[in-house]
Amino acid sequence: MPESAESSFLVVANRLPVDRLTTPDGETRWRRSPGGLVTALQPVLRAEAGTWVGWSGDEGAAPEPFTLDGMRLSPVSLTGEELRDYYEGFSNATLWPLYHDAVEQPAFHRHWWRSYERVNRRFAERAAEEAGRDALVWVQDYQLQLVPAMLRKLRPDVRIGFFLHIPFPPTELFMQLPNRLEVLRGLLGADVVGFQSPGAAQNFLRLTRQLLDLRPRGHRVVAEDGREVLAESFPISIDVTETEAVAGTDVVKDRAAELRRELGEPRHVILGVDRLDYTKGIEQRIKAFRELLSDGELSVPDVVMVQVATPSRERVEHYRALRRTVEREVGRINGDYGRVGVPAVHYLHQSYNRRELAALYRIADVMVVTPLRDGMNLVAKEYVATRLENDGALVLSEFAGAAADLRQAFLVNPHDLDAVKSGMLTAIRAPVEDRRRRMKAMRRYLRGHDVKHWARGFLTALGVPETATAYDSDNMRETSD
Ligand code: ADP
Ligand code: G6P
């Protein structure tokens, strides 16, 4: 490995913000990685001119550190076995379902845990090599919960922040985790542990009392080594200025008009955009739409639904099963209610660039975001930010972190099919003035609570002086994709 650049600001996340792809002629290309974590953190890291430590998205040896779009990227390797046991296993078949209300049954295997520990150590070691003296290291998400304590042992001089992008479970669920003590101690290695909601921070603090016999006071707790740890909520957001700018370009406007024509100029377009994940409530939403068609409340081609389902974690069984179910349901609904050239549901299992997504948001009269449980949900915020004319309507699950921010959305309980149906109908039929009032209020809120506000809040809590986190908007620019 070449000599480290010794950064003063490091992001450590399971994935780099780009995935490595090998083209058929053997060339290496990098493509933006999926998910909300990358959306939120990429502009922050670029503004800080820091280093991002993460996995390159494929199996085997990692490339040397390199610079891309003004970010230094330091790739960490995963073997095929680690991909199975650490990533697909412990991270995505144990922690992911457990932390999302166990909406699917979490699986526990001892060899997955051993791999999780080994890979966390590798990330901690790499962060220790990359960090300059007194650097600030910001560790991200459930895949790396042991890194804070491991890194602290290796580098007691650095400030360590940890942010959990997904929910933190209620104590009864967390207690199921066979390695619960190690996970809790891993997190307590940080100076600040950040969560999406106050309830999640409270769950964490309560567990420090229950499992480690610590004495949390307010948002703080003194860890076993005598350090004070702050556990608080910092709801994440998006780069609103950038999202608005992309949505306002002629390219995006023209593409939106073209998409609407291609859909046959329906009166109402209903849109869903999610990673194909069982926490997102995709099945329930399609079922609600199907019932609205069969009840005669809605009809095709007056109304069409577009569902973008981004490919995700395709080797994990829960995800394969979900894909089969969703695709069967889409086939069934189109068989029953579509016509030649006019399907009821347009289903797209693909990744898109920012402009194409913005065009889709622009044609959506109603955006339906109905996760059974979601840490935040940035898709809901992106939709609101693209509604430059203050039109459109957002149907949003009460169980998404975003519901605490976007309070003027049409809020629904995604477990209650009738509530989802009536939420969709109310949104479609709401008077223009009502929709405008709601959208305006949500856009105003988002402008004051964008990703800069989030990063500044977290870094200030970590002790970084406010002036040092005052991003100028030029530095927050996105790449074209
Ligand atoms: P999660 O992090 O669970 O995937 P979020 O809603 O918080 O959920 O974030 C998803 C991010 O991924 C958003 O920034 C969204 O724009 C992006 N995204 C979703 N679907 C696609 C897609 N098909 N192609 C490209 N980006 C996508
Ligand atoms: C969510 C998680 C992220 C993860 C992303 C994509 O946003 O919070 O940590 O990176 O989903 O999932 P993947 O498994 O493809 O990295």
Side-chain angles (χ1 to χ4, degrees):
M1 197 175 127
E3 203 173 304
S4 155
E6 300 232 321
S7 290
S8 57
F9 183 85
L10 253 82
V11 161
V12 184
N14 172 56
R15 259 184 203 284
L16 287 174
V18 284
D19 273 346
R20 180 168 56 174
L21 297 175
T22 310
T23 59
D25 43 11
E27 259 183 61
T28 296
R29 278 190 36 224
W30 294 91
R31 187 184 61 184
R32 184 191 169 91
S33 308
L37 185 156
V38 167
T39 301
L41 274 159
Q42 183 162 317
V44 174
L45 187 83
R46 197 172 295 122
E48 294 282 349
T51 294
W52 187 310
V53 173
W55 167 53
S56 59
D58 58 7
E59 171 179 326
E64 294 295 324
F66 61 101
T67 302
L68 186 83
D69 280 338
M71 297 175 290
R72 179 180 152 81
L73 305 183
S74 183
V76 173
S77 64
L78 291 185
T79 63
E81 194 185 343
E82 287 164 350
L83 236 167
R84 246 189 352 262
D85 296 347
Y86 149 77
Y87 171 71
E88 293 166 351
F90 198 79
S91 297
N92 289 316
T94 305
L95 293 172
W96 182 269
L98 185 72
Y99 281 29
H100 285 90
D101 279 358
V103 292
E104 285 287 354
Q105 182 71 34
F108 302 111
H109 295 291
R110 282 168 286 189
H111 65 286
W112 286 359
W113 166 256
R114 287 194 288 276
S115 184
Y116 184 79
E117 251 188 324
R118 187 167 61 246
V119 173
N120 269 249
R121 188 162 307 284
R122 185 171 312 143
F123 274 83
E125 283 166 358
R126 176 63 65 81
E129 283 167 29
E130 291 279 0
R133 187 146 192 87
D134 300 327
L136 199 146
V137 183
W138 198 356
V139 184
Q140 310 292 327
D141 230 356
Y142 62 101
Q143 304 93 340
L144 300 179
Q145 294 174 99
L146 306 181
V147 169
M150 289 174 170
L151 177 61
R152 181 162 300 284
K153 282 220 173 77
L154 296 166
R155 288 292 302 272
D157 59 302
V158 300
R159 302 274 304 157
I160 304 172
F162 179 90
F163 185 76
L164 186 70
H165 292 252
I166 68 173
F168 189 79
T171 53
E172 315 83 80
L173 275 179
F174 187 83
M175 297 294 270
Q176 289 183 13
L177 193 64
N179 307 91
R180 58 202 190 185
L181 286 180
E182 289 97 322
V183 169
L184 219 49
R185 289 196 170 112
L187 292 170
L188 282 167
D191 297 294
V192 177
V193 186
F195 298 91
Q196 299 278 26
S197 72
Q202 282 315 311
N203 290 345
F204 172 76
L205 288 166
R206 206 169 297 132
L207 280 160
T208 65
R209 182 197 302 276
Q210 242 167 285
L211 290 176
L212 300 175
D213 212 17
L214 301 178
R215 300 266 167 275
R217 286 254 152 75
H219 299 299
R220 293 175 192 276
V221 62
V222 176
E224 291 162 310
D225 60 1
R227 279 174 314 106
E228 190 169 77
V229 177
L230 174 71
E232 235 194 306
S233 120
F234 301 91
I236 204 165
S237 195
I238 57 165
D239 186 345
V240 175
T241 317
E242 167 66 23
T243 310
E244 286 180 348
V246 172
T249 57
D250 288 342
V251 185
V252 168
K253 286 186 186 161
D254 293 349
R255 178 65 186 140
E258 188 179 18
L259 277 169
R260 213 164 175 117
R261 271 197 306 277
E262 284 172 3
L263 289 174
E265 302 283 356
R267 234 163 36 105
H268 305 285
V269 176
I270 299 176
L271 176 68
V273 174
D274 315 79
R275 261 184 321 96
L276 188 46
D277 193 297
Y278 51 83
T279 59
K280 301 289 183 182
I282 301 171
E283 277 174 82
Q284 289 79 354
R285 182 187 313 161
I286 292 177
K287 191 150 187 223
F289 184 52
R290 179 190 178 78
E291 288 195 6
L292 288 171
L293 294 175
S294 79
D295 297 346
E297 296 280 8
L298 299 178
S299 64
V300 182
D302 200 36
V303 181
V304 296
M305 180 167 183
V306 178
Q307 176 64 56
V308 177
T310 320
S312 188
R313 307 174 192 165
E314 292 188 284
R315 299 198 317 189
V316 179
E317 183 44 37
H318 285 145
Y319 289 76
R320 288 177 200 251
L322 174 73
R323 183 171 178 190
R324 286 193 293 271
T325 312
V326 167
E327 294 186 352
R328 195 181 50 233
E329 279 308 304
V330 169
R332 198 168 141 223
I333 199 171
N334 283 337
D336 289 347
Y337 299 101
R339 287 206 251 131
V340 173
V342 192
V345 178
H346 296 252
Y347 170 75
L348 304 157
H349 184 246
Q350 293 164 42
S351 289
Y352 294 103
N353 64 37
R354 314 298 296 159
R355 287 182 300 272
E356 186 72 5
L357 272 184
L360 282 163
Y361 290 142
R362 280 193 70 104
I363 62 163
D365 304 293
V366 176
M367 180 87 203
V368 193
V369 181
T370 49
L372 304 176
R373 173 63 75 190
D374 208 334
M376 176 52 64
N377 198 290
L378 294 184
V379 162
K381 293 190 171 179
E382 287 169 0
Y383 173 69
V384 168
T386 58
R387 306 310 297 181
L388 304 178
E389 283 83 30
N390 295 317
D391 55 358
L394 174 65
V395 176
L396 178 61
S397 161
E398 292 165 7
F399 296 93
D405 292 344
L406 305 175
R407 307 171 81 97
Q408 293 79 10
F410 295 89
L411 293 175
V412 297
N413 172 2
H415 301 273
D416 177 350
L417 211 61
D418 287 334
V420 177
K421 286 167 67 181
S422 71
M424 285 164 74
L425 275 186
T426 313
I428 287 178
R429 292 174 182 165
V432 174
E433 258 326 298
D434 179 37
R435 293 180 180 224
R436 186 178 304 283
R437 184 186 50 77
R438 291 168 182 262
M439 197 55 78
K440 238 179 153 165
M442 293 192 284
R443 287 190 61 214
R444 193 179 322 116
Y445 180 87
L446 273 191
R447 287 226 187 88
H449 296 82
D450 66 355
V451 75
K452 288 177 250 183
H453 174 88
W454 169 75
R456 199 177 297 127
F458 190 98
L459 296 176
T460 306
L462 245 188
V464 181
E466 259 204 57
T467 47
T469 61
Y471 307 114
D472 82 54
S473 55
D474 275 356
N475 283 342
M476 298 290 290
R477 246 186 4 246
E478 256 272 28
T479 40
S480 51
D481 275 358

